[in-house]
Amino acid sequence: MRRRLEGGGRESAEIPEEVPTGEEIASLVARFPQLTKPINVTVSRKGPRGPQGLLKVHVSRIPLPEGSVIRLGDGLCCASPEHVAVQMAPQLTFLELVFLLGELMGGYAIAPSLEGGMFSRRQPLTNRERMAAHLEALGPVPGSAQVRAALAVACERSASPYETRLSMRLGLKPALGGEHLNVLSMNEPIAVVRLGMALAPGVRKPDVLLGATRPDAPFSGVSFDYNGNIHGTLEGYERDVRRHNEMLAVNFKNYVLTKQLYDDLAYMDDIVARARADLGLERPHLTKSEAGRRRSLRQWLHDELELIDGVNWNGRARAAQARRASDEADDPKAPPVDLVPLEAYGLE
């Protein structure tokens, strides 16, 4: 099944009118034991809900454009990655949707049962162009506007959930707790020379690449690499050092982050300030009050992204809590209203 999904064999299909019978569901479950329950099914008209606890029924009368489904087997189709995002969008917060797109357009799949919580894909399930084409063919339907907005800031070719989180912290606008830096690419090859190998040509693929905007900038670009447990060996450390030196030799400044450094807001603030200088960017001129407000938002974004795991989509519940906090602003325990970015929850 994984191979078929990665192959990208999209098909066309009409939404069935009626909910499958108990016998049809039992047959599918027997033939496809990997189906998780409850099984989400889409039909074109209301009817019986099906076996309780086994099915979650959705009604949609919107015709599916070509390429909206992938056939998994005889009698079973699933929504394409492009359409999955649209289907899920109304139930997700803006940050959750950006995070979901990072996985769909990335080289990983979240799998909590596996060691490390993920597995690597040979290629992404979709990309920005495919997503945009599907939205265009689908038209203005529930979820499409949210996906279009999230697609504008979502990353492509991320290799892990923490790379996706890092790109969001670096790229999102300050109102959402981000640094508003221009993320050029993720895991795209950069031509380097192999030091110690007679300067042979080679490539490096930094996790996150930021480009200089001025010709007189000290460096041509700045890269960030997030090192997980896979780097915690002597061999991994040596690879990291070689990568750093080879990037520096072609005028790209490379910064390396561990989970401990990623979680340290003061450290991240300092390293981003240094990266701005490396890129020739001016330091923002902020009042003390605004600087403090933005710092609180950066901490909020870090904490919120830690809660988004790609499995339990409960951001809307946190949105309701944020709204209650706004309504109870006189409560000394409630967070200040202007430090809760309701835009991220889709509450504006």
Side-chain angles (χ1 to χ4, degrees), residues 35 212 220 236 264 337:
L35 289 174
S220 301
D264 187 332
V337 176

Side-chain angles (χ1 to χ4, degrees), residues 21-148:
T21 65
E23 291 76 13
E24 290 172 328
I25 291 296
S27 174
L28 282 176
V29 170
R31 288 188 292 126
F32 302 97
Q34 62 269 55
L35 289 174
T36 57
K37 303 174 186 64
I39 302 170
N40 286 263
V41 298
T42 301
V43 295
S44 62
R45 65 184 180 88
K46 291 183 178 180
R49 296 187 177 184
Q52 189 173 6
L54 186 59
L55 292 183
K56 187 173 182 180
V57 179
H58 308 269
V59 178
S60 175
R61 296 181 176 86
I62 301 169
L64 295 177
E66 184 177 353
S68 295
V69 302
I70 294 176
R71 187 169 300 279
L72 302 180
D74 185 29
L76 180 64
C77 293
C78 73
S80 68
E82 298 81 22
H83 199 60
V84 162
V86 177
Q87 289 179 315
M88 292 181 64
Q91 286 77 48
L92 305 184
T93 66
F94 179 75
L95 294 183
E96 285 179 325
L97 186 52
V98 174
F99 189 80
L100 172 64
L101 290 175
E103 179 181 359
L104 295 177
M105 299 191 298
Y108 67 93
I110 295 174
S113 61
L114 299 182
E115 184 178 359
M118 55 161 277
F119 64 82
S120 297
R121 297 190 184 278
R122 291 172 298 180
Q123 60 184 13
L125 294 178
T126 189
N127 55 44
R128 198 177 306 278
E129 289 72 25
R130 263 185 167 172
M131 288 294 311
H134 183 71
L135 291 173
E136 183 67 24
L138 197 57
V141 303
S144 62
Q146 293 99 311
V147 174
R148 198 179 301 277

Side-chain angles (χ1 to χ4, degrees), residues 160 162-163 207 225-233 236 240 256-259:
S160 74
Y162 267 100
E163 289 185 17
D207 294 347
D225 283 301
Y226 180 89
N227 286 1
N229 293 333
I230 190 173
H231 300 266
T233 63
D240 293 340
V256 180
L257 296 171
T258 63
K259 182 62 166 68

Side-chain angles (χ1 to χ4, degrees), residues 155-170:
C155 63
E156 286 188 277
R157 307 199 69 83
S158 172
S160 74
Y162 267 100
E163 289 185 17
T164 298
R165 292 184 179 100
L166 176 60
S167 77
M168 292 173 71
R169 292 181 70 185
L170 293 174

